[in-house]
């Protein structure tokens, strides 16, 4: 016991109210009897003046990021937690105790601050350290491993380029601000550097920074001193870029290249339907890689949905062009005048469509002379008759039948030529519409890709 109001122990001025642990000659460290007296005071907070709060310093090292459950909004981490506090009854003079300045004591025999993590949502299955280190000045260091399962508001909109900000709030569960105060033991920069150095099992996540701020929690008429750490982690997107975005982009490029297939070919529509089926199977297989949560849909999910919708629109465009090329042309209908003016006169110039020849020009009709009619001066046969025009007609029944058959063939060929001309006109209408819709489709895909990339970049910057 001290007799003066202030006693000096190894250069440290201590108030007289503090009692020193006894040391005996020939024994290293405080005696067992003096330590037992401290152990008997375990239920009481180690403060001579109970109006003076016990200050607890907190620091941790993020050793591993074990998992992120987006659906349950849970972050699982592994921390090396370190607590410091001052025990006013564990002080001794190292000069009298064989220069012993630090000893280890069982933690179950000492009072410990009831520091908890407010976001903890699971049972604590961490392995507890049974001992603490006690300095001769009464400062205690308690190290323990903590498997922390904490609630975290996970924002997955920018998946897989998302950055999560999860909070760890440390504070006393029972003692108010009048009894226990908390503060960081290290600077946040040092905690970030140590965590990045020792971070082992991070998987697809990497640590960005650890920030913190002390505050006071008001609940009813009482107040608790708390300190909040914000652990900012970033997802490594390479796995999802290789397995999701690149294959989807390849399928979209193939869909764009399918426009170069002949629009009047049935293989083009069947190819697009096969492509849509393959894209659907791809989404079903890759569904396990996408995060699922009730808070919102990730941007990449919207990206896949829009890509599938664009493929369906591409198929509908093919059906439309096929209908124009086959349905109208097979009926051998004349192209309406307004379609000529709008499609050939306006849309054709927009898409810079070049016509090999005028599809609406009527082919010249050559009037061939009747081979069975000859001038009257060239024949004097008795089977010749002279008509009023002065020409002589061969009056042979077989030749007359042949002449009628040739006229029918000529009429049939004229009809076929007219049908081919109408089909050619409708083909040009389909080609122009196909080229126009292809360019519109290409612009939509390009604009959509730029919007998605910009949104991801803006989100990453934030």
């Amino acid at each position: 016991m001290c007799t003066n109001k202030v006693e000096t122990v190894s250069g440290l001025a201590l108030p007289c109210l503090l009692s020193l642990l006894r040391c005996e000659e020939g024994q290293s460290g405080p005696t067992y009897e003096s330590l037992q007296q401290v152990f008997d005071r375990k239920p009481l907070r180690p403060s001579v003046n109970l109006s003076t709060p016990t200050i607890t310093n907190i620091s941790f090292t993020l050793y591993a990021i074990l998992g992120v459950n987006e659906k349950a909004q849970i972050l699982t981490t592994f921390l090396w937690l370190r607590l410091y506090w001052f025990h006013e009854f564990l002080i001794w003079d190292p000069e009298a105790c064989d220069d012993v300045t630090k000893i280890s004591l069982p933690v179950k025999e000492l009072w410990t601050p009831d520091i908890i993590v407010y976001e903890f949502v699971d049972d604590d299955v961490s392995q507890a350290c049974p001992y603490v280190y006690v300095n001769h000045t009464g400062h205690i260091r308690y190290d323990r491993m903590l498997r922390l399962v904490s609630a975290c508001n996970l924002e997955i909109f920018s998946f897989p380029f998302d950055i999560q900000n999860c909070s760890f709030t440390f504070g006393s569960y029972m003692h108010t601000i009048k009894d226990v105060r908390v503060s960081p033991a290290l600077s946040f920069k040092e905690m970030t550097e140590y965590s990045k150095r020792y971070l082992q099992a991070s998987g697809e996540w990497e640590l960005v920074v650890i920030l913190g701020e002390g505050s006071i929690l008001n609940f009813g008429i009482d107040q608790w001193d708390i300190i909040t750490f914000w652990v900012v982690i970033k997802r490594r997107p390479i796995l999802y870029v290789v397995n999701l975005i690149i294959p989807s982009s390849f399928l979209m490029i193939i869909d764009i290249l399918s426009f170069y297939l002949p629009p009047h070919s049935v293989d083009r529509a069947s190819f697009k339907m096969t492509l849509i089926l393959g894209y659907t199977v791809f989404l079903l297989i890759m569904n396990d890689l996408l995060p699922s949560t009730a808070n919102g849909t990730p941007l990449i999910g919207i990206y896949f949905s829009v890509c599938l919708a664009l493929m369906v629109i591409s198929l509908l465009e093919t059906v439309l062009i096929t209908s124009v090329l086959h349905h109208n042309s097979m009926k051998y209908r004349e192209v309406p005048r307004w379609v000529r003016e709008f499609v050939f006169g306006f849309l054709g110039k927009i898409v810079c469509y070049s016509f090999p020849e005028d599809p609406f020009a009527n082919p010249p009709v050559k009037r061939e002379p009747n081979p069975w009619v000859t001038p009257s001066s060239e024949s004097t046969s008795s089977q010749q008759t002279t008509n009023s025009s002065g020409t002589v007609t061969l009056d042979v029944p077989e030749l007359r039948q042949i002449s009628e058959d040739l006229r029918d063939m000529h009429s049939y060929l004229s009809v076929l030529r007219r049908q081919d001309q109408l089909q050619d006109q409708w083909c040009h209408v389909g080609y122009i519409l196909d080229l126009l819709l292809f360019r519109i489709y290409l612009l939509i895909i390009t604009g959509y890709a730029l919007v998605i990339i910009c949104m991801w970049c803006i989100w990453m910057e934030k």
Side-chain angles (χ1 to χ4, degrees):
M1 301 293 293
C2 63
T3 57
N4 300 323
K5 292 184 178 181
V6 176
E7 182 171 335
T8 302
V9 177
S10 298
L12 179 65
L14 300 173
C16 181
L17 293 177
L18 298 183
S19 58
L20 300 179
L21 297 177
R22 296 192 306 273
C23 297
E24 296 181 355
E25 186 176 356
Q27 181 178 355
S28 299
T31 62
Y32 175 78
E33 291 77 10
S34 61
L35 290 175
Q36 187 62 44
Q37 294 178 2
V38 177
F39 296 160
D40 294 340
R41 298 178 181 177
K42 175 187 176 182
L44 302 178
R45 186 166 60 89
S47 179
V48 176
N49 187 0
L50 294 180
S51 62
T52 303
T54 299
I55 300 177
T56 304
N57 299 317
I58 304 172
S59 69
F60 67 85
T61 300
L62 182 62
Y63 182 75
I65 301 174
L66 302 180
V68 178
N69 190 337
E70 293 87 357
K71 186 175 183 179
Q73 299 284 288
I74 289 177
L75 172 67
T76 304
T77 54
F78 193 84
L79 308 179
W80 290 343
L81 182 62
R82 176 168 290 183
L83 302 178
Y84 299 91
W85 70 91
F86 179 52
H87 199 299
E88 297 184 6
F89 303 129
L90 284 176
I91 301 175
W92 69 89
D93 187 359
E95 295 181 357
C97 297
D98 199 16
D99 294 330
V100 175
T101 59
K102 184 169 61 174
I103 61 175
S104 62
L105 297 176
V107 65
K108 65 179 181 179
E109 300 292 343
L110 298 174
W111 179 91
T112 56
D114 54 341
I115 301 299
I116 63 170
V117 181
Y118 287 7
E119 291 85 1
F120 209 106
V121 293
D122 200 357
D123 296 333
D124 188 3
V125 294
S126 307
Q127 182 179 358
C129 181
Y131 296 98
V132 296
Y133 262 124
V134 182
N135 193 277
H136 72 280
T137 58
H139 293 88
I140 298 177
R141 190 191 76 190
Y142 179 39
D143 296 330
R144 62 165 300 189
M145 296 173 289
L146 179 62
R147 184 180 184 272
L148 179 59
V149 181
S150 60
C152 180
N153 186 18
L154 300 173
E155 298 289 342
I156 62 171
F157 178 75
S158 60
F159 173 89
F161 304 99
D162 52 332
I163 298 177
Q164 306 297 340
N165 188 356
C166 297
S167 61
F168 299 158
T169 304
F170 290 85
S172 175
Y173 179 75
M174 193 58 151
H175 296 87
T176 63
I177 194 173
K178 296 180 180 179
D179 297 326
V180 174
R181 302 293 300 270
V182 294
S183 63
L186 297 175
S187 65
F188 304 121
K189 182 178 180 181
E190 291 176 332
M191 294 174 63
T192 302
E193 292 177 353
Y194 291 153
S195 297
K196 289 183 178 180
R197 182 185 306 172
Y198 297 108
L199 188 61
Q200 298 293 330
S202 58
E204 61 179 308
W205 297 92
E206 61 177 318
L207 178 65
V208 178
V209 69
I210 297 178
L211 303 174
E213 182 185 17
S215 59
I216 297 176
L217 175 63
N218 296 300
F219 188 79
I221 60 175
D222 294 322
Q223 294 179 331
W224 283 263
D225 192 21
I226 61 175
I227 180 171
T228 303
F229 296 94
W230 288 284
V231 178
V232 182
I233 56 177
K234 180 173 64 175
R235 192 190 304 266
R236 294 186 177 99
I238 184 64
L239 171 66
Y240 303 96
V241 171
V242 172
N243 292 331
L244 293 177
I245 298 179
I246 293 180
S248 176
S249 301
F250 284 161
L251 292 176
M252 290 301 299
I253 292 175
I254 294 175
D255 182 65
I256 293 174
L257 295 178
S258 66
F259 278 91
Y260 289 97
L261 292 174
H264 56 273
S265 175
V266 183
D267 295 337
R268 179 170 173 179
S270 60
F271 178 81
K272 286 183 176 292
M273 287 188 289
T274 305
L275 194 62
I276 293 176
L277 179 61
Y279 194 81
T280 305
V281 175
F282 163 75
L283 293 181
L284 292 177
I285 296 175
M286 294 294 106
N287 187 44
D288 294 338
L289 292 178
L290 293 176
S292 59
T293 176
N295 292 344
T297 303
L299 185 59
I300 193 172
I302 301 175
Y303 166 76
F304 289 146
S305 300
V306 174
C307 287
L308 183 60
L310 290 174
M311 288 185 175
V312 174
I313 293 175
S314 173
L315 177 61
L316 294 178
E317 183 270 345
T318 301
V319 172
L320 175 62
I321 298 302
T322 304
S323 175
V324 171
L325 293 177
H326 290 270
H327 181 69
N328 292 317
S329 60
M330 292 304 293
K331 291 183 178 180
Y332 307 115
R333 296 187 302 181
E334 185 77 21
V335 178
R337 182 178 180 83
W338 68 270
V339 175
R340 299 184 197 175
E341 295 179 354
F342 180 70
V343 175
F344 290 92
F346 180 68
L347 297 182
K349 295 180 180 179
I350 293 179
V351 299
C352 301
Y353 185 77
S354 59
F355 298 94
E357 59 182 8
D358 189 0
F360 297 100
N362 294 321
V365 179
K366 296 182 180 180
R367 186 174 181 86
E368 298 179 355
N370 193 341
W372 314 113
V373 178
T374 58
S376 58
S377 60
E378 296 180 0
S379 179
T380 60
S381 173
S382 61
Q383 295 181 349
Q384 296 178 352
T385 59
T386 304
N387 55 19
S388 58
S389 60
T391 59
V392 178
T393 304
L394 298 177
D395 192 9
V396 180
E398 291 81 1
L399 296 178
R400 185 180 298 276
Q401 183 63 35
I402 293 174
S403 177
E404 291 177 357
D405 293 340
L406 290 175
R407 290 193 188 96
D408 293 338
M409 293 175 61
H410 182 269
S411 300
Y412 179 71
L413 292 176
S414 300
V415 172
L416 291 179
R417 189 181 300 110
R418 179 59 179 170
Q419 291 176 357
D420 290 340
Q421 184 183 15
L422 292 177
Q423 288 183 353
D424 187 61
Q425 293 175 3
W426 282 110
C427 284
H428 285 292
V429 172
Y431 292 156
I432 293 176
L433 293 178
D434 181 69
L435 187 58
L436 176 66
L437 294 177
F438 168 65
R439 294 187 178 181
I440 295 176
Y441 182 74
L442 194 60
L443 289 175
I444 292 175
I445 290 182
T446 304
Y448 173 65
L450 292 177
V451 169
I452 293 294
I453 293 174
C454 291
M455 293 181 67
W456 269 327
C457 292
I458 292 174
W459 187 270
M460 292 177 65
E461 290 179 357
K462 289 182 180 181

